[in-house]
Amino acid sequence: MSAKGLAKYWLVVAIAIIVSPVTGAQTEENFIINYDIRYDVQDSGETLVSQNTTITSLKNDVVPTTYSFKTKYLDIYDIVAQTNGKKTEARKEMPGKNETVITVPFSTYSIGEGKQNVVSMTYKTKGVASRMGDVWNIYIQGIDTPETTTVYNIVLSIPASMGPKIFVSPAPVTEKFENGKNTYYFAKESFSAKGVTAAFGKYQSLNFRIKYQLENNRILGTVYEVALPPDIQNIQQVRYASIDPKPRKIRLDKDGNALALFWVGPKKRLEITLTGSAKILGRQINPEFGGKLADLPKDLIREYTKKQKYWETDNDEIKNFASSLFDPELNVSQNAKRVYDYITSNLTYDQAAANQSLVTRKGAVAALTQRGSFTCMEFTDLFVAAARAMGIPAREINGYAFTNDNVEKPISISLKGGDTLHAWAEFYDPFYGWVQIDPTWGTTSGTDYFTKLDTNHFAFVIKGKSSEYPYPAGAYSFSDNEKLVDVDFSGFSNSDEAFNPVLSAAKTINFNPLKLLQGYQRYVLDNTSGYFIYDVQGKTLAPGQKKAIFLKNGEKNVTIKDFRNKSYSVKIL
């Protein structure tokens, strides 16, 4: 799955000093090279970069004569350069595919130990900020700085028009609102080799159309159930605009999946079409603030640390692996991150999987013990199995992932009809609740997908009680040659469509004598809206679900909540 028409850009991947000796050979070790770089993002996404590089000589007989840096997948233009306060002409070359080298000769320079030479440069680029749907994504590529670099300051300035912060990673040293912009300051200690990633906007808005094709080859009619995209509180809100034909019933399982039941007659086929929209929110955690292991709910430990077909927690290799990483002195998120860090440092992704018609799932033990490359399924399976073996509740998520680069952010669950999905994981922390992570993209992109997940992951199913079921959208098909899943950005530009819960009610006979004596009437509520409605007297109602409630005589309002836990009072008609 990929969003069409999205360009790929990468920032600075190498910075080098080209020096000429006054006498003898020399290297960068002869200099202290410090950086102050400011990225000033404009409303259009174009970025003005101001870069000051201070080069301090450590010897009397060395002097820098040329400063050079190289970029990949980054178009740089309108370059203005100075050395030691005097204008100089920067030279732009493209020696290889998607490579750009900027070279700045010194027009004047200072010679001697402790002397400083300063390169000041401004340039523009459209590669720092890119828009996907309703969200602006920011990426500043990390750089492995030499030991002689003592200062590496980054300032990122974002216009308020891009919307509120979804996440900024790593955490900046300081953040301010100044001159009408949100400004984030990073020092060498906070800026890592993985760079800076950030996202701005209210949420990602999606539209979807999904077909489910059911075939009953039996001589008797059968009820089938299909998994509809679920609501996930504070992460994903879905609205079902239409389900044709209407299901007999929709139920929620313990993982939160919405399972719709359909009757298919003997020797019959049934095609169901679901249309709707979704809002995807971002979230960022700090592992240091994670909850204690002792505070993990016992019921979740019982349910979500069990072995499953692809999560072999009883296997000695898995148990020994988990034991080797587990530290009882650390909190839940810190232990989970140790598993994530191992996977992102040791597993290799199978880039050929995207070209295969069907990818075979191998499971956690294979990912840990076998050599070779693996897909997102094994990355996820190993995380889930190892976390469970540590006693940390963990699950799998299958869904749709928007990607503009199948190398850096690949997807590899191949289904019939050409639909390709993605798998990622989540674990439970007593402080944060369920936390979604993506060890696959953390490996392939080199960026942080543990403390935050971007807004381009749209969950179709959550697998916790089973490693195999429910099946995600796209897996229900008559044949191998029809595409069943269509998801795209809605283009509403951060529209904030109001949550509009609709409940119809039918008064019924109250057979509860105690409630009758207490003056209660019994009603059956029907969620006739397309939204999930929470906390209807303690129960979540999926669209089309019904629930019996009790209201005091004369009472006509019921309190409910939306996916952001906001309360509403709804009048019962």
Side-chain angles (χ1 to χ4, degrees):
M1 300 168 186
S2 60
K4 295 180 179 179
L6 296 172
K8 174 183 70 173
Y9 296 102
W10 293 98
L11 287 179
V12 176
V13 297
I15 289 184
I17 286 288
I18 300 176
V19 296
S20 296
V22 175
T23 57
Q26 56 184 303
T27 67
E28 287 186 26
E29 296 175 358
N30 295 321
F31 302 94
I32 295 173
I33 309 167
N34 292 331
Y35 304 89
D36 286 283
I37 307 175
R38 184 182 183 95
Y39 297 86
D40 192 1
V41 182
Q42 308 301 305
D43 292 317
S44 64
E46 183 181 59
T47 302
L48 174 64
V49 182
S50 304
Q51 179 176 319
N52 289 319
T53 306
T54 303
I55 306 165
T56 305
S57 298
L58 296 178
K59 295 181 180 180
N60 281 319
D61 57 353
V62 296
V63 63
T65 60
T66 306
Y67 172 81
S68 177
F69 73 91
K70 181 173 66 175
T71 75
K72 291 195 74 173
Y73 301 107
L74 182 68
D75 182 29
I76 291 177
Y77 51 93
D78 293 351
I79 306 167
V80 177
Q82 291 184 340
T83 56
N84 296 324
K86 293 188 177 181
K87 187 175 180 180
T88 186
E89 290 297 323
R91 185 171 69 251
K92 176 180 175 181
E93 298 175 299
M94 302 184 72
K97 184 178 180 180
N98 299 319
E99 287 187 349
T100 302
V101 176
I102 307 297
T103 303
V104 181
F106 280 86
S107 55
T108 62
Y109 43 80
S110 299
I111 305 174
E113 182 179 355
K115 295 294 185 179
Q116 292 186 334
N117 291 275
V118 179
V119 181
S120 300
M121 189 186 323
T122 63
Y123 56 85
K124 294 178 182 178
T125 179
K126 295 180 180 178
V128 172
S130 60
R131 186 168 184 170
M132 292 189 75
D134 288 339
V135 173
W136 282 95
N137 295 298
I138 310 296
Y139 183 48
I140 301 173
Q141 179 67 31
I143 301 168
D144 290 317
T145 57
E147 292 182 2
T148 53
T149 295
T150 58
V151 176
Y152 199 107
N153 294 326
I154 296 276
V155 179
L156 173 63
S157 183
I158 304 294
S161 63
M162 288 188 172
K165 176 183 71 175
I166 297 175
F167 63 78
V168 174
S169 178
V173 174
T174 308
E175 55 183 276
K176 301 177 182 178
F177 185 77
E178 50 191 15
N179 300 320
K181 290 191 171 185
N182 296 301
T183 306
Y184 305 88
Y185 295 82
F186 304 87
K188 180 182 178 183
E189 294 73 23
S190 61
F191 183 73
S192 70
K194 293 187 176 181
V196 174
T197 53
F200 295 86
K202 291 181 180 178
Y203 44 76
Q204 189 64 275
S205 301
L206 307 175
N207 289 328
F208 59 84
R209 184 184 68 179
I210 300 170
K211 294 180 181 179
Y212 302 84
Q213 296 178 339
L214 306 178
E215 184 172 12
N216 180 16
N217 292 318
R218 301 168 186 169
I219 60 173
L220 298 175
T222 305
V223 174
Y224 290 82
E225 63 181 12
V226 299
L228 313 179
D231 234 47
I232 304 173
Q233 277 196 288
N234 298 309
I235 297 294
Q236 172 173 303
Q237 182 186 41
V238 297
R239 181 179 70 86
Y240 304 153
S242 67
I243 306 176
D244 185 26
K246 290 185 178 181
R248 285 191 161 197
K249 181 181 179 181
I250 296 178
R251 71 177 183 89
L252 296 178
D253 68 10
K254 289 187 177 181
D255 287 319
N257 294 298
L259 301 175
L261 278 63
F262 295 89
W263 172 263
V264 183
K267 303 293 183 178
K268 296 290 186 181
R269 286 181 169 186
L270 179 68
E271 181 173 276
I272 303 127
T273 301
L274 168 68
T275 61
S277 58
K279 296 177 182 177
I280 313 297
L281 276 65
R283 185 190 188 194
Q284 189 169 10
I285 71 164
N286 184 340
E288 293 182 5
F289 298 153
K292 297 178 181 179
L293 292 158
D295 292 336
L296 283 167
K298 298 297 187 291
D299 60 331
L300 293 184
I301 293 176
R302 284 193 303 270
E303 194 62 56
Y304 295 109
T305 60
K306 294 178 181 178
K307 69 174 183 178
Q308 292 290 334
K309 179 177 179 179
Y310 296 106
W311 308 327
E312 306 98 322
T313 53
D314 60 340
N315 177 273
D316 286 340
E317 296 280 0
I318 295 292
K319 289 192 290 186
N320 292 336
F321 168 64
S323 179
S324 70
L325 295 179
F326 181 72
D327 186 343
E329 300 300 318
L330 299 179
N331 64 42
V332 173
S333 288
Q334 289 170 327
N335 273 293
K337 190 174 186 299
R338 299 191 80 177
V339 181
Y340 172 91
D341 287 343
Y342 176 91
I343 293 172
T344 56
S345 299
N346 291 277
L347 263 63
T348 302
Y349 186 80
D350 183 4
Q351 294 290 348
N355 300 319
Q356 298 176 21
S357 58
L358 186 63
V359 179
T360 301
R361 186 177 181 182
K362 300 174 183 177
V365 172
L368 181 63
T369 62
Q370 295 180 9
R371 293 185 178 183
S373 301
F374 301 97
T375 69
C376 59
M377 292 181 288
E378 284 74 49
F379 280 73
T380 300
D381 287 337
L382 182 54
F383 178 87
V384 173
R388 288 187 171 210
M390 285 182 171
I392 298 174
R395 305 188 295 197
E396 172 190 352
I397 297 177
N398 296 156
Y400 192 103
F402 284 95
T403 177
N404 56 6
D405 187 337
N406 282 320
V407 174
E408 298 292 338
K409 298 177 182 178
I411 48 181
S412 52
I413 302 179
S414 295
L415 303 172
K416 294 180 178 181
D419 292 308
T420 308
L421 302 184
H422 187 49
W424 60 100
E426 67 175 357
F427 68 93
Y428 188 87
D429 183 287
F431 182 76
Y432 291 113
W434 287 105
V435 179
Q436 296 188 24
I437 64 169
D438 191 339
T440 309
W441 284 11
T443 301
T444 54
S445 70
T447 55
D448 173 22
Y449 273 92
F450 184 86
T451 64
K452 78 281 182 300
L453 198 69
D454 61 31
T455 55
N456 300 323
H457 288 66
F458 179 26
F460 281 174
V461 295
I462 304 168
K463 294 177 179 176
K465 293 180 68 63
S466 168
S467 63
E468 303 174 85
Y469 189 82
Y471 306 123
Y476 308 82
S477 178
F478 295 149
S479 63
D480 295 341
N481 56 8
E482 183 174 357
K483 186 173 176 60
L484 303 176
V485 176
D486 287 303
V487 184
D488 208 346
F489 300 119
S490 68
F492 289 151
S493 301
N494 279 327
S495 64
D496 201 3
E497 180 186 351
F499 173 66
N500 184 28
V502 180
L503 290 171
S504 61
K507 189 175 180 180
T508 61
I509 299 173
N510 186 356
F511 291 105
N512 188 319
L514 181 59
K515 290 289 186 182
L516 196 58
L517 288 172
Q518 292 174 340
Y520 283 93
Q521 295 288 342
R522 184 178 186 273
Y523 294 85
V524 173
L525 296 186
D526 185 359
N527 179 9
T528 54
S529 69
Y531 291 100
F532 283 69
I533 297 175
Y534 293 86
D535 203 15
V536 183
Q537 293 192 355
K539 184 177 179 181
T540 298
L541 285 183
Q545 269 197 309
K546 297 181 180 181
K547 173 181 170 58
I549 66 167
F550 292 93
L551 295 176
K552 280 276 191 180
N553 288 332
E555 189 177 354
K556 294 297 182 182
N557 291 296
V558 61
T559 300
I560 64 170
K561 293 181 179 178
D562 65 8
F563 90 120
R564 294 185 184 181
N565 212 33
K566 182 179 178 181
S567 295
Y568 297 81
S569 180
V570 178
K571 189 172 183 179
I572 302 300
L573 302 177

